[in-house]
Amino acid sequence: MRSLPCFLLAACLVLQSSRGGAQTAPTFETRTAGLTKMDGLFPLYWEAKTGKLLLEIPSFDKDFLYLDQLPYGIGSNDLFLDRGQLGTEHVVHFMRSGNKVLLVEPNLAFRSSSSDASERAAVKESFAESVLFGFKVEAEQTEGQGSHVLVDATDFFLLDAHRVAERLAQAKQGKYTLDVSRSAILPENTKNFPRNTEVEAILTFTNDAPEEKSYVADVTPDAHALTVREHHSLIELPGPGYTPRVYNPNSGYFPTLYRDYSATLGAPLDQLFITRHRLQKKDPAAAISDPVEPITYYVDRGAPEPIRSALVEGARWWNQAFEAAGYRNAFRVEVLPEGADPMDIRYNMIQWVHRYTRGWSYGDSVIDPRTGEIIKGQVTLGSLRARQDFMIAQSLLDPYLDGAPLPADNALQAMVLARVRQLAAHEVGHTLGLAHNFAASSLGQGTSVMDYPHPLITLDSNGKLDLSHAYAVGIGAWDKVAITYGYAEFPADKEASDLADVLQQAQKNGLYFITDDDARPLGSPHPHAHLWDNGPDPAAELERVLTVRTAALRNFGLNAIPVGTPMSQLADVLVPLYLMHRYQTEAAAKEIGGLDYRYALRGDGQEVTAIVSPADQRKALAAVLRTLAPETLTLPEPLLRLLPPVPPGYPRTRESFAAFTGLAFDPVAAAASAADLTLGLLFNPQRASRLVEYHARDSVNPGLDEVLSSVLKATWQAPRAGGLAAETQSAVESATLESLLGLAASNQASPEAREIARFQVAALKTQLTAASTLPRERQAHRAAALARIGEFERDPAKFVPAPPVDAPPGMPIGEE
Ligand SMILES: [Zn+2]
């Protein structure tokens, strides 16, 4: 070596090491000698002394599915990294070049259906692929036609595939980086099967200077180190025999789409299909047949009884829909066998997940991106939901009469279990391919488990609240339609017309589908598609809910909490009752400036559009204005005397009402937060803009001027209340003024809507200026209002309305 004319030391070292490498390159046998082999789709070799995991690649350029999951989560609803969470599925293949092996994800979003190889190549070459990882060849051996290659996959399986660090950064939790020294492959949770290879790793993310108060700090023993587990699955792609089914926006399914650049001119570029499981009849000619292979779901053993049984029962409702679609025993639900791994791709799972605060339940799926076939359904149910439901029942039923404990079979638990059954069915529905049908509850309770159900609370003949029919039981009529569309077998030559018939028949039966984008926005015009509502007439239902709420508030008191509970907790139990009307108010408000419509296709006979009748709009406005009335919002004095500040050890939470009164309960802030929910709907700039135009199209429709006049009549021009109700009234008036000024200044409203809002501001100013002698408190209130109007008038473009008073999530409960 010394004799080498080595002027460039670096080049010399490279030369020496590559020579050395060539001399000592191990054979496949020597490299795997003494390692623990796990045979399967991709054979694995565990080297315990180094903690390395080697992967054998038996063939190249053959597509398979790669998926990451999060078996151990973080437990924070705000960080959305839950136990059992699915990651992203990728169709990938290994590609070899010299001593490198690349994991390549081809681009499936852009395809060519052409039979011409050059046309197909033109599409493939036009769009980027993604190489997900690069491996170095450790050893190889020739076997038959090809060669088997061994790579060191340790670094790959220690990747943050679930992008935990990225999510923490996005959630502003500071800079967490993966610390490989505190991370390792877990051989006991690494398994291999003929059709799937499963590898698990424990990963630690560190941060030298974590925030003292953060979501991470809420849920970790030490916020400097956040440790989770990530799971990688390499899965054989499903074999032939699955036919994608065409998407129809009225069918109730999630679409999957790709672009076909070989579609003929005039034909759509985007090809849309539904996502669904593979299901085939054993006897395709029979009207009712057993399936070749049933769809089976498994319930987490970690769910306690009686929840576990309720999950099984609710999920099993789907069998009714598959029966309607021509199958017998096609849909099964069992408790996961002991020792089975929920991460195993072969199990459709219903998991019971704990978090620090309550939040979403959801249904997710692993989908074959080539076809839309669902390979695995994964349901995540947040456990705190059940406790919130219990508290809702507590607030309504006055259950701890004279301090007595609850009987074992109490009405509160019965309502919770009814809800759990319904929720299990709902989330499983998502994993069968189904989207929300928010129109369903307007067609009758129980029309679809894919709506968000508000408990149907009624008054019995003695004026007591009755929750016995709070939630519907069984699968809905719409769900049967949707499963028939997605899963029934039709003769190939008649499939298109048979599918159209399924939806036509549903339409004849008054069933239709409207989903999230049309129901969720506060400015949505749809009068029937709502979250957490009941019944066909939103305004009538709001009136009914307000009556029930009045009766419940009259009864509400000590008997809502068990003996020995801090009295301050009564305030948290009060929240869902006090806000009982919030979602039905939203439903009724959507009738104002409302537009009824369907996802109509030319020739399908559905209604295209219809402005909500003037009578229905005015009825809805009258009902919504009741939610601003002092008598609706002011809590009675005897109840206020029962609401002390919280004792040590029982902090206020995000479930509590906001307060301007420090430690003491603040009934006026509670009223303001409820009023702000209503005002946000009434003064929504999109709704205001529609009101202007619908009135112009036909003067029988209420216009924005009429609606704003009605709101001011119900607030600033209403008869004066006394006592605490007068403070409620003032708070609602101030909030109304902020909303009016906000609309007049909003660049999201049409210029015409802003003009009308400004006109109403001017009219209100005239009224306030002309006021006669007033008590001192009223003088202050009016002076403040005039000052705010002055600020607006000085520069409307710069005017910022006061933010609404935060309302706790309240009743019902959140997202699913
Ligand atoms: Zn949902």
Side-chain angles (χ1 to χ4, degrees), residues 161-245:
H162 204 72
R163 310 225 181 268
V164 167
E166 199 174 302
R167 298 254 205 111
L168 293 174
Q170 282 162 357
K172 305 207 176 348
Q173 300 299 294
K175 189 165 172 46
Y176 279 86
T177 46
L178 181 64
D179 181 350
V180 178
S181 73
R182 291 189 229 182
S183 304
I185 306 266
L186 296 170
E188 66 276 18
N189 285 24
T190 295
K191 292 161 195 167
N192 226 339
F193 305 96
R195 296 174 62 187
N196 52 317
T197 295
E198 310 279 342
V199 179
E200 198 159 303
I202 183 166
L203 299 182
T204 302
F205 300 86
T206 56
N207 183 345
D208 290 340
E211 300 284 335
E212 206 171 303
K213 282 196 187 307
S214 67
Y215 298 133
V216 174
D218 283 342
V219 292
T220 44
D222 181 345
H224 294 84
L226 180 152
T227 303
V228 296
R229 292 189 184 188
E230 297 193 18
H231 188 98
H232 309 253
S233 300
L234 314 181
I235 308 149
E236 187 177 70
L237 280 166
Y242 176 84
T243 315
R245 180 154 289 179

Side-chain angles (χ1 to χ4, degrees), residues 411-425:
L412 293 81
Q413 179 167 306
M415 189 194 91
V416 171
L417 294 178
R419 181 73 187 97
V420 167
R421 284 182 206 102
Q422 214 284 337
L423 183 61

Side-chain angles (χ1 to χ4, degrees), residues 308-368:
R308 191 195 289 179
S309 294
L311 293 175
V312 172
E313 287 162 25
R316 275 185 186 157
W317 291 350
W318 281 106
N319 194 44
Q320 301 162 17
F322 283 94
E323 281 173 354
Y327 293 93
R328 190 190 304 116
N329 304 321
F331 187 82
R332 297 179 190 176
V333 184
E334 310 294 342
V335 175
L336 187 69
E338 220 158 341
D341 184 350
M343 289 295 106
D344 190 328
I345 188 73
R346 295 169 299 179
Y347 299 116
N348 296 299
M349 281 301 306
I350 300 171
Q351 280 199 301
W352 187 247
V353 172
H354 303 291
R355 304 192 189 99
Y356 181 59
T357 57
R358 71 191 164 92
W360 298 286
S361 293
Y362 50 93
D364 202 356
S365 304
V366 180
I367 293 166
D368 182 347

Side-chain angles (χ1 to χ4, degrees), residues 350-536:
I350 300 171
Q351 280 199 301
W352 187 247
V353 172
H354 303 291
R355 304 192 189 99
Y356 181 59
T357 57
R358 71 191 164 92
W360 298 286
S361 293
Y362 50 93
D364 202 356
S365 304
V366 180
I367 293 166
D368 182 347
R370 303 171 308 166
T371 61
E373 179 182 351
I374 295 174
I375 300 168
K376 176 186 172 97
Q378 175 79 26
V379 169
T380 298
L381 298 164
S383 67
L384 293 183
R385 160 79 53 109
R387 291 177 197 276
Q388 175 71 10
D389 285 330
F390 191 88
M391 192 166 84
I392 290 174
Q394 241 180 301
S395 78
L396 298 170
L397 287 183
D398 229 17
Y400 301 96
L401 212 53
D402 304 322
L406 293 178
D409 60 336
N410 60 76
L412 293 81
Q413 179 167 306
M415 189 194 91
V416 171
L417 294 178
R419 181 73 187 97
V420 167
R421 284 182 206 102
Q422 214 284 337
L423 183 61
H426 177 100
E427 301 305 344
V428 167
H430 283 317
T431 69
L432 294 171
L434 299 178
H436 292 132
N437 185 354
F438 285 128
S441 59
S442 76
L443 305 170
Q445 195 197 27
T447 298
S448 172
V449 300
M450 299 315 295
D451 204 334
Y452 281 8
H454 195 281
L456 184 62
I457 308 156
T458 53
L459 293 173
D460 68 15
S461 51
N462 301 319
K464 292 284 281 180
L465 271 74
D466 181 359
L467 297 184
S468 59
H469 34 239
Y471 294 106
V473 177
I475 214 69
W478 168 256
D479 307 318
K480 292 180 180 174
V481 171
I483 292 299
T484 303
Y485 183 96
Y487 289 86
E489 277 194 19
F490 302 108
D493 57 329
K494 279 181 72 230
E495 182 164 307
S497 63
D498 283 352
L499 289 173
D501 285 349
V502 170
L503 297 178
Q504 286 274 324
Q505 193 53 49
Q507 197 187 318
K508 281 204 194 100
N509 296 335
L511 298 168
Y512 64 97
F513 167 78
I514 299 286
T515 195
D516 293 59
D517 289 352
D518 305 273
R520 284 186 187 272
L522 290 184
S524 157
H526 208 290
H528 303 308
H530 317 298
L531 290 64
W532 314 116
D533 66 311
N534 272 310

